[in-house]
Amino acid sequence: MTQSWKLTLPCTRAEAEALGEDMGLLADLDPPPALMTSEMEEDNPDKWQVDAYFEGRPTVQAIALLQAMIPSSAGTEPVLERLPDEDWVTLSQQGLEPIVAGRFHVRNHADDPVPAGLVPLLIPAGRAFGTGQHETTAGCLMMLDRCRRLGERFGNIADIGTGTGLLAFAALHLWPRAYATASDIDPAAVEVSAQNAALNGVAPGGGRGEVSLYVAAGVDHPALHVRAPYDLLVANILAGPLIELAPSLTAVIDEGGTLILAGLLADQADRVVAAYRAQGMRLVDRIDNGHWPTLRLRKRPVIGWRRPRRWTPGANGEAPGYGSW
């Protein structure tokens, strides 16, 4: 078993955002490190931290690469520690308290009690992110719940960058006769989502009330094209990939369809909305959960010769390197 190491450096929120959007030359390492950024002091954008997890002790060159990407860390001594021979992703999520978002109660342990009147969802700590604790995932759950309370009806749902499958499962609870498609760029996330589907009583498959799972970057998969157009699409990833994917995500949404976006920070929202407005989407709702907004957009119907063309493979349907919260 390869020994894992953690490298910690201080950073600013702006630097954390930049790392989330582009790992730079770190992405060329074999294997690349996993980066996690966190806020150290609430409402202080200059007090953030990046933790880089490496398989094997990082080289001097790798440490220098990371530090070069964080200008504010110049002159700071990196903190390097060897981790126990355990799964650090699982360890990082152990002991998380259940959360309530809308009508949903998301727990990581099967024996956690579920309050009466709430919909239970079980997402164990594991290799994929999206256990509900992050504000972006909770915001998506709240937005889905709000859609249902407003009387929205959806029959063909997609969850792009699904992570653990949580948002797809929640959507199927709200619209149990819908078709559901979930995808992620990470094969491990798709495998975890399949396991979580079984835990939550969601059947795999392509029928109503079932979920189809695919490994895909963005919507770059033939099955995702065949199952389009979607009347509800959820994408909880990062601002950079969301902007890059605006043409291809919009193209697979039905006219009048709904798009829920998350994974962006408040000061990135205008850029994300502008990218989708250029594709014929309009903002209809927003939930702010701390610094993390969740956006709901609707696709404008287009009539006649200006009707948009369907997206085809190769037309900006891929955003390599993104993940989900």
Side-chain angles (χ1 to χ4, degrees), residues 220-235:
D220 190 23
H221 193 291
L224 294 174
H225 316 157
V226 170
R227 295 174 70 87
Y230 305 98
D231 51 11
L232 171 63
L233 190 149
V234 184

Side-chain angles (χ1 to χ4, degrees), residues 34-55:
L35 302 182
M36 295 181 66
T37 57
S38 55
E39 185 180 35
M40 305 309 295
E41 293 183 11
E42 189 173 357
D43 298 324
N44 187 343
D46 292 326
K47 292 290 185 180
W48 281 59
Q49 174 177 300
V50 58
D51 294 311
Y53 294 85
F54 292 83
E55 293 185 20

Side-chain angles (χ1 to χ4, degrees), residues 78-102:
V79 177
L80 184 62
E81 59 180 304
R82 181 175 175 173
L83 299 178
D85 293 331
E86 297 177 278
D87 183 347
W88 65 265
V89 175
T90 300
L91 290 174
S92 70
Q93 297 178 353
Q94 283 179 352
L96 296 177
E97 293 295 323
I99 64 107
V100 175

Side-chain angles (χ1 to χ4, degrees), residues 252-278:
V252 297
I253 298 173
D254 205 358
E255 291 185 7
T258 293
L259 173 65
I260 296 175
L261 300 178
L264 56 143
L265 288 158
D267 58 6
Q268 298 170 324
D270 289 345
R271 282 178 286 154
V272 173
V273 171
Y276 284 85
R277 186 181 293 120

